[in-house]
Amino acid sequence: MSSGQLYDTIGATYAVTRRTELRIAERFWAALGDARTVLNVGAGTGSYEPPGRDVIAVEPSAVMRAQRPAGAAPCVAAVAENLPFEDQSFDAAMAFSTIHHWQDPLTGLREMRRVARRVVVFTFDATDTGWRRQFWLTRDYLPEVADLLVGRPSLTELARAIGARTEPVLVPWDCADGFFEAYWRRPESYLDDRVRRGVSVWSIVGPEAERRAVRSLREDLVSGRWAERNRDLIDLDAGELGLRLLVL
Ligand SMILES: C[S@@+](CC[C@H](N)C(=O)[O-])C[C@H]1O[C@@H](n2cnc3c(N)ncnc32)[C@H](O)[C@@H]1O
């Protein structure tokens, strides 16, 4: 499936649960420094477009482009791996929660580096099994996630491709953006079909794995087994789920 096709298939209800998480956004925007012109690659509906700067968006999916609100930055239909811009034409290039979908993330990152002086990316380490063993959702209910990440570049390889540094990003317990890890302290949320439809993982693992995971989670919530196993999470305000910023 090509870059835009997945979100043309699954993206129609994206904006129902996917919106700006301001605490993460402010950290991300700070990393953009004094950049005045910003290219937002894999921009989707534009949740993380920084206010007060000149933004151009790139988004391959027509379904996602159609959900951009009135007044959002102008959006070009293109892919990260082949950005239709001159060398060094932006102060900064950004990518939020998208590079795991790119067919060739290393080429996409080098393209961002080519068109901009500064690069800021929000992503995770696909090869780090540590967080997947720790996060109860992947550990106890959806181990199939590991198969989705086979062959993807590690965080170190991503960072090395553009000479970026990495910084951990904790997820607030009440995170407003419904990405995969967002509900780590609100397990009931994963029982809600609207929540799952806003996250590509659930569609990619297929209906059988999804049904099994949801059924099993529901049983464990009712029986108290989830609470028993995860009692250490209840007092945390923010969780380490392996999410990272790459900053150049
Ligand atoms: C999870 S959404 C994130 C959207 C937005 N950045 C956000 O944080 O809400 C991933 C987006 O990446 C886009 N995408 C997939 N492959 C891409 C590629 N090769 N180049 C650029 N964008 C891509 C998808 O169409 C989708 O809109």
Side-chain angles (χ1 to χ4, degrees), residues 56-123:
I56 303 279
V58 160
E59 170 53 54
S61 159
V63 167
M64 295 298 272
R65 290 196 302 276
Q67 293 175 76
R68 292 175 62 78
C75 189
V76 177
V79 292
E81 294 88 336
N82 188 13
L83 294 173
F85 302 101
E86 303 283 322
D87 293 0
Q88 302 295 292
S89 40
F90 297 89
D91 295 331
M94 60 175 274
F96 198 100
S97 225
T98 172
I99 68 173
H100 54 291
H101 289 296
W102 301 355
Q103 282 179 349
D104 185 347
L106 299 180
T107 297
L109 285 173
R110 289 190 192 107
E111 274 290 90
M112 291 174 74
R113 177 75 188 91
R114 178 183 66 75
V115 303
R117 276 185 293 283
R118 181 175 285 256
V119 176
V120 183
V121 174
F122 177 75
T123 187

Side-chain angles (χ1 to χ4, degrees), residues 12-35:
T13 60
Y14 188 82
V16 173
T17 55
R18 301 298 298 271
R19 53 185 83 95
T20 317
E21 165 45 60
L22 208 53
R23 289 159 288 191
I24 295 178
E26 279 171 350
R27 172 111 184 260
F28 189 95
W29 296 337
L32 292 171
D34 60 2

